Every structure is written in C-alpha cells, then in structure tokens.
Amino acid sequence: MAKRIVILVILALAGLAAGFWLGQRNTAPGGASNAAVAQLLATRLPDLSGGEQAISQWRGKTLVVNFWAPWCGPCVEEMPDLQALSSEFGSKNVQFVGIGIDTAQNMIAFEQKVKVDYPLLVAGYAGTDLARALGNKAGALPFTVVIDPQGRLHYEKLGRITSDEVRAALKPLI
C-alpha cells in the first residue's frame, strides 16, 4: 500500500512538472528569428498624425519597441517609465518606439492624457502578429523587445517592464 502511494505521488509530481513546463513553454516569450527582426525593420506604420513611418529609419540604433494598447492596464502603468527612459537614453543612440494595438483615434485620446516624446505607431490588431513573430507566443500585452544596432534581438519581455529591466538590457549595448 505504501509503495503504491509513493508511486502515485511521484506520478502526480511528474504530471505537475510536465504541466508547468508546457504552460511556460506556451506563454513565455520565445526567441525571435532573424527573419522576424528583419520583418519588423521592413514594417511601415502610420504615426498619430497619419504620416507613414518606416521602422528601418532607426536602423543602426539600439531600438526599444514596446507593443501596447490604451486599454491595457500594465501598458498604461509602464508608459511614464518608458517616457523617462526615452529621455534618459535619447542621446545614447537609443530609440524608443511604441507600437499600438488599437485604433489611431484611441491612441490619440490616450496620448493627450499621457504625453510621450517617442514615436507612437498604429498597428491595430495586426500588430499582434508582428509581436508573435518576435517571440510573444501568448499574444499578450505589453510586450517589449530590444534590438541591437546590428539588427539582432537582444532582449524580450512579456508583461510590464520596469525601468531597471530596461536599463539592464541597454547597458551592454551603449
């Protein structure tokens, strides 16, 4: 009887471990391929004034790309920190870009309340596909990537990013 209980406990623990591993594998950011970064750099999106912006215009800079939406609580919480970091690192060949997963109208209303000095680009819900290609398997927001000046993915974070995490990701690149 005791042997049977030990075996059941071991099987239960193995099942829990496998479930945890599968759950993490399906929701954790996964490494983006060079093709996904190239796709991002080849993307052209409208800004809040309706002009089209090419992500490639920032090639050669360290690029911090934040996928966000005005309706996303953690996105709204991290926006002031990203604004402050953009000001802090702007003179160090670092460019912040926000890619909004919403309409221009909603993003403009948000930006009137929370001012940012870095470009906010409108991707709509198609931006989720771009984020997925960059490693956001869950398709959740916020999602932030850091791309080095050579166009390689250096860092990715699913969920609210802190100032310390951004600084740590940027430190080896500046």
Side-chain angles (χ1 to χ4, degrees), residues 35-45 53-57 59 130:
V37 175
Q39 176 188 1
L40 172 69
L41 293 173
T43 300
R44 299 176 70 83
L45 294 169
Q53 300 293 325
I55 306 289
S56 63
Q57 70 183 295
R59 190 180 306 270
L130 188 56

Side-chain angles (χ1 to χ4, degrees), residues 7-73:
I7 291 172
L8 287 175
V9 169
I10 290 171
L11 288 174
L13 289 173
L16 282 171
F20 179 77
W21 178 78
L22 286 171
Q24 291 292 47
R25 195 185 94 206
N26 289 332
T27 60
S33 67
N34 289 336
V37 175
Q39 176 188 1
L40 172 69
L41 293 173
T43 300
R44 299 176 70 83
L45 294 169
D47 60 25
L48 296 185
S49 64
E52 192 170 270
Q53 300 293 325
I55 306 289
S56 63
Q57 70 183 295
W58 299 297
R59 190 180 306 270
K61 291 186 173 213
T62 297
L63 193 56
V64 179
V65 181
N66 177 253
F67 292 86
W68 70 285
W71 43 263
C72 163

Side-chain angles (χ1 to χ4, degrees), residues 40-111:
L40 172 69
L41 293 173
T43 300
R44 299 176 70 83
L45 294 169
D47 60 25
L48 296 185
S49 64
E52 192 170 270
Q53 300 293 325
I55 306 289
S56 63
Q57 70 183 295
W58 299 297
R59 190 180 306 270
K61 291 186 173 213
T62 297
L63 193 56
V64 179
V65 181
N66 177 253
F67 292 86
W68 70 285
W71 43 263
C72 163
C75 302
V76 172
E77 290 171 9
E78 72 185 5
M79 196 68 85
D81 292 340
L82 293 173
Q83 165 54 47
L85 290 162
S86 175
S87 296
E88 179 182 336
F89 288 98
S91 64
K92 297 177 180 166
N93 202 37
V94 176
Q95 178 64 53
F96 283 69
V97 177
I99 296 182
I101 312 298
D102 205 334
T103 65
Q105 182 180 1
N106 289 342
M107 290 172 62
I108 290 167
F110 173 84
E111 204 269 335

